[in-house]
Amino acid sequence: ETMCRDMPQSLPSFLVARCGDPSFWIYSDQKCDGTNNCGDCSDELSPVTTCPPCGPGWWRCPSTVFGYCGCIPRSLCRDHTQHCSDWSDEYSCPGP
């Protein structure tokens, strides 16, 4: 437990990104990857992180359910499972 807690301090700062809750951290390459790595979406949403808008392979939702934040992969559109809180992934998203 002590080694894991001290890990961010032992890594170069460019490899570490803090989450909305500063006691949590992720590797920098996990920011803006579409996945909720911090647990509170702070790695995907401002004010902690400024990410580009959803790319062409993604669908923007007002909020998502489960592992994603503001966007979901289009491959999840129209798959008969709710991923967006407003169900737009099932009714509005054109699909992959």
Side-chain angles (χ1 to χ4, degrees), residues 17-40:
R18 293 286 176 182
C19 296
D21 177 347
S23 64
F24 292 103
W25 63 276
I26 58 171
Y27 290 105
S28 293
D29 64 351
Q30 293 176 304
K31 290 190 315 186
C32 301
D33 66 356
T35 304
N36 182 9
N37 298 298
C38 281
D40 62 359

Side-chain angles (χ1 to χ4, degrees), residues 8 46 68 79 82 91-92:
S46 63
Y68 297 96
D79 66 350
Q82 179 190 15
Y91 298 109
S92 301

Side-chain angles (χ1 to χ4, degrees), residues 37-51:
N37 298 298
C38 281
D40 62 359
C41 286
S42 60
D43 55 311
E44 302 300 319
L45 306 171
S46 63
V48 174
T49 307
T50 302
C51 297

Side-chain angles (χ1 to χ4, degrees), residues 34-88:
T35 304
N36 182 9
N37 298 298
C38 281
D40 62 359
C41 286
S42 60
D43 55 311
E44 302 300 319
L45 306 171
S46 63
V48 174
T49 307
T50 302
C51 297
C54 300
W58 294 78
W59 174 256
R60 178 166 292 287
C61 316
S63 62
T64 62
V65 181
F66 308 115
Y68 297 96
C69 295
C71 307
I72 62 165
R74 282 187 184 256
S75 60
L76 298 178
C77 291
R78 299 187 184 264
D79 66 350
H80 308 291
T81 302
Q82 179 190 15
H83 299 286
C84 299
S85 61
D86 64 356
W87 288 87
S88 63

